[in-house]
């Protein structure tokens, strides 16, 4: 490029300009512009290109390292799965040897439940994401959208993230299509943002699912967004099991729906009284509660 600029300057110098003011201004502007452009190429542009090349080299090395890790992980996984029954038996033997039978059974129960939650969630999300990616590719091909394969891969991969995954993949894909054809970009938004991605495989309510994603993503980034839901589902299950066991010891119901505003537990007998809209029962419950408070104050 600098060589081409020099040739242009030589040609401009050979051109005959008259002595008018406009000709002198034009010649000065061309000279200054060419000098500025040469300095920009030699300083800013070349330096930026070096930075880009360095970043690209580091990126290629990182990709190669990740591919090597994936290959090694697949090889190790084959050996682990081939001997999984042996490892499971050895682990159970160690648990029973170290802990008492009651605690050992509890640990194994929690382990089985965690495996059920994580396995169901991960396998379900992988299958779901693969189906979403294939359906997206078929739909975009029928609609004759640009960048069909690229957009389908983006949508399928980001779909692994619960709740927010469809939006994370749809927004950059929609922008990419909008730059090519605005009308098709709007069609894509209508087509892609629709299905409810996360089902009931984790056993969490909608609020706790969003909470676990935000907490996991804030603490551990992308991996936390993916693994936050099954991890919190295990914690939620353990807490629920602890609460239900204590309620059963007190001979109280474990269903949350029966604990309405008018239900109460008798302070003397410890019996759970199902509430109703009868004002007399509500008044009796309030009187009993007031009497219990007075007795506690006297004590």
């Amino acid at each position: 490029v600098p060589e081409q600029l020099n040739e242009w300057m030589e040609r401009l110098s050979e051109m005959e300009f008259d002595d008018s003011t406009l000709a002198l201004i034009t010649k000065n502007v061309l000279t200054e512009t060419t000098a500025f452009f040469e300095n920009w190429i030699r300083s800013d542009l070349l330096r930026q290109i070096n930075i880009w090349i360095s970043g690209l080299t580091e990126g290629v090395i990182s990709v190669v390292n990740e591919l090597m890790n994936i290959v090694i992980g697949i090889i190790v996984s084959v050996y682990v799965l081939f001997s999984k029954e042996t490892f499971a038996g050895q682990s159970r033997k160690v648990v029973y040897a170290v802990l008492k039978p009651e605690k050992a059974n509890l640990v194994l129960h929690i382990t089985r439940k965690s495996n059920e939650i994580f396995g169901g969630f991960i396998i379900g999300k992988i299958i779901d994401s693969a189906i979403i990616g294939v359906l997206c590719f078929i739909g975009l091909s029928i609609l004759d959208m640009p960048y069909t394969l690229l957009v389908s891969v983006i949508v399928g991969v980001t779909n692994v993230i619960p709740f927010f995954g469809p939006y994370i993949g749809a927004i950059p894909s929609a922008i990419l299509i909008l730059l090519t054809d605005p009308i098709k970009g709007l069609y894509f938004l209508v087509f892609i943002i629709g299905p409810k991605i996360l089902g009931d495989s984790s056993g969490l309510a909608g609020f706790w699912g969003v909470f676990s994603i935000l907490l996991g993503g804030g603490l551990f980034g992308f991996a936390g967004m993916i693994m936050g839901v099954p991890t919190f589902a295990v914690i939620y299950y353990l807490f629920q099991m602890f609460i239900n066991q204590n309620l059963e010891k007190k001979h109280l119901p474990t269903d949350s729906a029966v604990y309405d505003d008018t239900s109460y537990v008798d302070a003397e007998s410890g019996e759970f009284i199902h509430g109703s809209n009868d004002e007399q029962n509500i008044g009796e419950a309030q009187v009993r509660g007031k009497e219990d408070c007075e007795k506690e104050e006297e004590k």
Side-chain angles (χ1 to χ4, degrees):
V1 174
E3 184 177 356
Q4 295 293 331
L5 290 176
N6 291 330
E7 291 181 1
W8 293 342
M9 285 300 301
E10 291 178 358
R11 292 180 181 179
L12 290 174
S13 300
E14 293 175 356
M15 293 176 62
E16 295 182 358
F17 288 93
D18 54 16
D19 295 335
S20 63
T21 305
L22 180 61
L24 294 176
I25 293 175
T26 303
K27 186 175 181 180
N28 291 331
V29 168
L30 291 175
T31 303
E32 294 294 334
T33 303
T34 305
F36 172 79
F37 192 60
E38 286 183 352
N39 292 330
W40 177 76
I41 290 176
R42 292 172 181 172
S43 57
D44 296 338
L45 182 60
L46 292 179
R47 183 179 60 193
Q48 193 65 32
I49 290 175
N50 289 331
I51 295 175
W52 290 342
I53 293 176
S54 300
L56 180 62
T57 304
E58 294 176 357
V60 171
I61 295 175
S62 300
V63 170
V64 173
N65 290 334
E66 291 298 328
L67 292 177
M68 289 296 298
N69 292 334
I70 292 174
V71 172
I72 295 174
I74 294 175
I75 295 174
V76 174
S77 299
V78 172
Y79 281 98
V80 172
L81 293 175
F82 184 75
S83 305
K84 64 178 182 178
E85 289 82 6
T86 302
F87 293 149
Q90 291 173 347
S91 300
R92 285 193 290 268
K93 182 174 68 174
V94 171
V95 171
Y96 280 117
V98 174
L99 301 176
K100 295 181 179 180
E102 182 180 357
K103 293 184 178 180
N105 291 330
L106 178 61
V107 170
L108 293 178
H109 173 73
I110 295 174
T111 304
R112 293 191 189 98
K113 189 63 179 180
S114 301
N115 178 65
E116 177 183 344
I117 293 175
F118 273 88
F121 177 82
I122 294 174
I123 294 174
K125 288 304 297 180
I126 291 175
I127 296 175
D128 178 65
S129 299
I131 293 174
I132 291 296
V134 173
L135 292 178
C136 180
F137 179 79
I138 295 174
L140 295 183
S141 299
I142 295 175
L143 295 174
D144 194 22
M145 295 283 183
Y147 309 109
T148 302
L149 182 59
L150 176 61
V151 171
S152 300
V153 172
I154 293 175
V155 171
V157 171
T158 55
N159 185 67
V160 178
I161 302 175
F163 291 101
F164 303 110
Y167 305 99
I168 295 176
I171 292 174
S173 300
I175 294 174
L176 187 64
I177 297 176
L178 281 170
L179 294 176
T180 304
D181 192 336
I183 301 298
K184 289 185 177 180
L186 296 177
Y187 289 161
F188 171 77
L189 288 176
V190 175
F191 169 76
I192 202 62
I193 302 178
K196 183 180 179 182
I197 301 303
L198 184 65
D200 297 329
S201 60
S202 63
L204 288 179
F207 168 77
W208 293 117
V210 175
F211 173 79
S212 60
I213 294 171
L214 295 176
L215 181 62
L219 294 176
F220 305 104
F222 182 78
M225 295 181 70
I226 298 176
M227 304 305 296
V229 171
T231 302
F232 191 83
V234 173
I235 297 174
Y236 185 87
Y237 173 79
L238 295 176
F239 183 77
Q240 186 180 35
M241 185 175 63
F242 171 76
I243 295 298
N244 291 341
Q245 286 180 350
N246 288 339
L247 290 174
E248 290 173 356
K249 290 179 181 179
K250 298 178 180 180
H251 303 287
L252 297 175
T254 58
D255 188 8
S256 301
V258 301
Y259 291 91
D260 53 17
D261 293 338
T262 59
S263 300
Y264 64 95
V265 177
D266 188 79
E268 296 180 359
S269 64
E271 181 182 0
F272 181 82
I273 308 299
H274 288 279
S276 64
N277 294 328
D278 189 357
E279 295 181 356
Q280 182 178 358
N281 293 335
I282 298 174
E284 292 177 357
Q286 293 175 347
V287 171
R288 291 179 183 179
K290 184 177 180 180
E291 292 177 353
D292 293 339
C293 292
E294 291 176 354
K295 291 180 181 180
E296 291 296 330
E297 291 178 357
E298 290 177 0
K299 292 181 180 180

